[in-house]
Amino acid sequence: MEKKIAACGLDCAVCPSYLAFLNNDQELREKTATTWSRDYGNEFQPEDINCTGCTSSDVPLFAYCYKCEIRNCCREKQVANCAFCDEYQCERLASFLENAPEARQNLLQLRR
């Protein structure tokens, strides 16, 4: 499967919200809504679990994507993701990457 790298470096192609939308998978929406509600202390409904990918200009996007500071920064700077930013690695991104080693690897691969 080809990667679909988000602004922060996460791979949208393996995100349950993206996969649920892509495959119209209601069971995955329900499971993900339950898991994310528990894990992130927010109440998500199955209909919230739909996304075309962070860098997409299409809708829908997962609700958090609209307010994600990293995504909004990339859009303002008109870069596909942080790997292409002149300010790589800013404090905001560094803080996020501490908890997302797979995102760090994706961005490093793109920077090479």
Side-chain angles (χ1 to χ4, degrees):
M1 177 185 299
E2 188 174 325
K3 290 185 176 188
K4 185 176 177 72
I5 304 302
C8 64
L10 289 174
D11 184 0
C12 292
V14 298
C15 175
S17 189
Y18 176 76
L19 292 171
F21 176 79
L22 186 68
N23 299 311
N24 195 22
D25 186 336
Q26 187 62 22
E27 186 176 322
L28 181 57
R29 285 184 187 103
E30 292 169 6
K31 178 182 174 189
T32 302
T34 299
T35 301
W36 287 0
S37 292
R38 180 193 67 230
D39 292 353
Y40 301 118
N42 218 336
E43 190 61 36
F44 296 110
Q45 300 302 316
E47 56 270 16
D48 298 327
I49 311 300
N50 283 298
C51 192
T52 57
C54 163
T55 60
S56 175
S57 57
D58 295 333
V59 292
L61 292 179
F62 180 65
Y64 180 77
C65 294
Y66 290 105
K67 62 183 178 181
C68 173
E69 292 179 10
I70 294 173
R71 178 182 182 268
N72 290 336
C73 181
C74 285
R75 292 178 63 82
E76 283 176 23
K77 293 181 178 181
Q78 297 182 342
V79 295
N81 58 51
C82 292
F84 301 103
C85 181
D86 291 337
E87 296 176 40
Y88 182 88
Q89 170 181 46
C90 70
E91 187 176 318
R92 179 182 304 130
L93 179 64
S95 176
F96 171 78
L97 294 178
E98 286 179 16
N99 298 310
E102 68 282 5
R104 179 185 309 277
Q105 284 305 112
N106 287 334
L107 292 174
L108 289 174
Q109 285 178 344
L110 288 172
R111 288 185 60 81
R112 289 187 191 125

